[in-house]
Structure formats: structure tokens, C-alpha cells
Amino acid sequence: MDINKIEEHIDDVLVETNFTHLGEKRVGKVRDIYMVSDHITLISTDRHSSFDRNIASIPFKGEVLNQISLFWFDQTKDIVQNHVLSTPDPNVVVAKKCTVVPIEMVVRGYITGSTGTSLWTLYKNGQRDFGDFVLPDEMKKNQKLEQNLLTPTTKSDEHDRPITAKEIVAEGFMTEDLWNEVSSVALKLFTRGQEIAFKKGLILVDTKYEFGLDENSKLVLIDEIHTPDSSRYWKADSYQARIGKGLEPEYFDKEFLRLWFKENCDPYKDEVLPKAPPELVAELSRRYIEIYETITGNKFEHDFSQSTLERITKNLSK
């Protein structure tokens, strides 16, 4: 989509919803979640979170994330069933209600990252033994791992903690049989994701999966899959040359908006944040649309005849 078109519609953003007929409402970082006894309705908004708060609203972001997830759910349904029951609107998924498995399955194909808990940071600081695997000496940042690796974490509102397979079973998060199934499925999903992404000119670097159990205790893939919010992507065609020169890989960059806030306020402490510059918001929207079109092979089409909220309201009233 042309950047000028995005700028024209910079204010047509879905910030929140307040439906009264869909069940009990919960608010996530990006999604509004409505729950009834046997299913949940997930509405992807345009909220953009960083610094543990909403910093901006990005036009079309919710629609893009939802459609990318639907693409990947369809591409992996032969590996594991997923929670999708229906999609009454481009921003909405009606999903099977499951008992959530309380472990986030993080899968990595490369050693990278810059946060304090990233694989590369821990490795650079001397760690080699990660409980379930040991990494060799002399590895370089952004290097491909010899095999895809699992680095699961607990799920917490405060702070996720890394946890080993042995601890997961010992602490009662999963039985050994369930762990074996979940870990096998997560690695298969990631391999499928890598294969398809590479054909689109992308490297799927790492991601996270969430699982649930249905009423028959069968494993279900829930939440989202291989979106640019839950996964890291690099451009495949320039990877080797850039690594050879000691450069960072080309990647889907959302960081520029985060950096603007760090330079213009204290996003952790300031009660009120400045408004993000429209040109940066529009550029981030354009990048979300570009990665949607790259991954799915489809042109992004949006209904401009009504607001996103009006369209969702009509579709959900049915």
C-alpha cells in the first residue's frame, strides 16, 4: 500500500472495543478477548506496545497480524490442530476455548539478540551450558545454530523465567508425555515455518508458540503463529554477505519507533507520553503491510468504505 494512502487514514485505528454481547472482556497488549463458556472471541487492535505500555496505534496493524496468523495456522494444520473456529472479520478470530499450557515454547534457529536474557547476550557473557543443551566455543553473533533449539519460559505477568525440560516436568507444569509431544510439535512447526519463509526470501530466526488442551486433552496451537510481533525475520538474500562483513542481518525493523520515544521522553516513568510522529507511524504501518504481502503472497486489501470499528461491529452482530 502506498505510504500516502496510509497517511490519509492515519487516524482510522482500532484502539479498543467494548462489545457487551460477546462475553466477559479481558484486555491483552494487542488483543481484546471476550470469553464465554465454550469459545473466545479475539479482536486484534492496532495498539503498539513497548516499555510495558501502549505507545502508539498503527493503522492496519491488527488486521495484518490476524491475517498473517491465519495464513500460518492454515499452513501448519497438518502438524497440530489450532484454535480457530471461524473468522467473521479480518481483525477477528473466534477460537476454541482451551486449558492453557503454562509454558511458552521459544524456538531458535540462530544465536542472536540484545536483551539481557537473549541467547547471544548470555553466551557472550560466558554461559555455555543452558540445561537442555551446551553450545560450543567460538560462536559468532547471528550465526546459524547446528540445530533448532528450544528455550522454554514460564508465563507470567511480571517476568518470564527460562526453564529446562527437567524442571518443567519436576515442577508439574507438564507431564513427561505432554512435554515430549509439545516439544516435538514446536520443532516441527518451526521447521515448516523456516521452509516456507525461505521460499519467500525470508529467514525465520526465532519465534514463540503457545499451546492449550481441548476438552479431550488433545494438544491445540493457540494465540498467534509466526507474526512479526512473535517472531524475528531476516532477509535471506543478503544474510551471508552481511555476516561475512561483520554487519547485522537485514531485518523487519520496528525499533525506530521505540528509539524515538527513548530519545524524546522517559517511556518507563513519564505519566503521559508525547504523540508519535505521523510519518513514523505511517512508515511502521507500511512495513507491517510489506511483511504481510511477502509472507502470504497476497496483496493487502482494506475496506475503506467504513471505519474498522464499524465493519467489525457489523460483522459481529451477525
Side-chain angles (χ1 to χ4, degrees):
M1 187 184 293
D2 181 76
I3 192 82
N4 295 322
K5 186 79 169 174
I6 296 171
E7 288 175 346
E8 277 176 42
H9 296 272
I10 201 84
D11 294 321
D12 178 20
V13 286
L14 184 67
V15 180
E16 64 174 352
T17 64
N18 289 290
F19 294 106
T20 55
H21 66 292
L22 297 177
E24 177 193 348
K25 180 186 173 185
R26 295 183 187 174
V27 178
K29 284 182 180 175
V30 172
R31 280 175 293 197
D32 288 353
I33 304 153
Y34 295 87
M35 309 180 70
V36 292
S37 59
D38 62 343
H39 68 267
I40 59 177
T41 304
L42 300 159
I43 304 177
S44 296
T45 72
D46 298 324
R47 296 191 292 264
H48 191 68
S49 291
S50 197
F51 314 107
D52 299 322
R53 64 197 295 184
N54 185 35
I55 61 169
S57 297
I58 311 299
F60 319 116
K61 179 189 170 185
E63 195 170 333
V64 161
L65 290 180
N66 199 45
Q67 294 303 310
I68 290 176
S69 254
L70 288 170
F71 169 83
W72 283 113
F73 279 134
D74 186 60
Q75 295 291 319
T76 56
K77 63 188 178 186
D78 61 314
I79 296 173
V80 64
Q81 65 175 334
N82 59 63
H83 69 172
V84 178
L85 295 174
S86 65
T87 55
D89 181 273
N91 285 65
V92 180
V93 166
V94 178
K96 185 182 294 190
K97 197 171 185 181
C98 298
T99 303
V100 176
V101 175
I103 294 293
E104 209 162 77
M105 298 299 287
V106 181
V107 192
R108 305 179 188 277
Y110 292 74
I111 184 166
T112 191
S114 56
T115 65
T117 56
S118 75
L119 199 59
W120 170 249
T121 301
L122 296 171
Y123 182 90
K124 183 180 66 174
N125 292 338
Q127 188 170 340
R128 297 292 181 269
D129 189 342
F130 292 85
D132 292 328
F133 57 88
V134 178
L135 293 176
D137 291 331
E138 309 301 327
M139 291 193 76
K140 303 284 192 291
K141 187 183 182 188
N142 303 322
Q143 181 178 334
K144 192 176 193 306
L145 295 162
E146 284 190 15
Q147 62 189 58
N148 295 328
L149 297 173
L150 291 166
T151 57
T153 68
T154 58
K155 291 173 62 166
S156 163
D157 290 335
E158 287 80 47
H159 184 64
D160 299 340
R161 74 175 166 97
I163 189 167
T164 65
K166 192 174 180 181
E167 290 166 338
I168 286 169
V169 175
E171 294 178 32
F173 288 103
M174 291 188 222
T175 63
E176 188 169 355
D177 285 348
L178 181 57
W179 164 255
N180 289 337
E181 183 182 8
V182 167
S183 57
S184 171
V185 166
L187 289 168
K188 285 176 184 174
L189 289 170
F190 191 69
T191 300
R192 176 72 55 81
Q194 286 182 312
E195 290 167 352
I196 293 172
F198 194 73
K199 290 174 185 171
K200 313 278 186 174
L202 297 170
I203 294 171
L204 178 59
V205 181
D206 48 40
T207 195
K208 67 179 179 67
Y209 303 113
E210 296 194 39
F211 293 95
L213 298 173
D214 69 9
E215 68 279 7
N216 300 312
S217 297
K218 296 290 186 189
L219 195 66
V220 183
L221 179 63
I222 63 171
D223 195 50
E224 61 185 336
I225 170 173
H226 299 164
T227 71
D229 276 15
S230 67
S231 312
R232 195 187 321 246
Y233 286 98
W234 294 335
K235 291 186 179 176
D237 58 359
S238 60
Y239 169 75
Q240 289 292 357
R242 291 181 69 86
I243 293 301
K245 293 176 183 174
L247 301 172
E248 287 289 307
E250 284 185 272
Y251 56 96
F252 170 69
D253 182 19
K254 299 178 290 183
E255 189 73 2
F256 64 91
L257 189 60
R258 196 172 182 276
L259 292 174
W260 184 89
F261 277 96
K262 286 185 82 171
E263 289 164 6
N264 288 276
C265 64
D266 186 335
Y268 286 110
K269 293 182 180 172
D270 291 355
E271 194 171 327
V272 178
L273 298 182
K275 196 170 169 62
E279 64 275 13
L280 295 189
V281 170
E283 173 56 23
L284 186 50
S285 177
R286 188 197 67 75
R287 294 186 190 192
Y288 270 104
I289 291 168
E290 181 187 6
I291 200 163
Y292 161 82
E293 293 181 339
T294 302
I295 288 170
T296 67
N298 299 325
K299 187 163 177 55
F300 181 71
E301 302 286 355
H302 178 82
D303 178 6
F304 289 102
S305 68
Q306 56 192 326
S307 75
T308 301
L309 184 57
E310 286 170 339
R311 190 199 68 223
I312 291 173
T313 303
K314 284 178 188 173
N315 286 331
L316 288 182
S317 70
K318 300 168 188 173

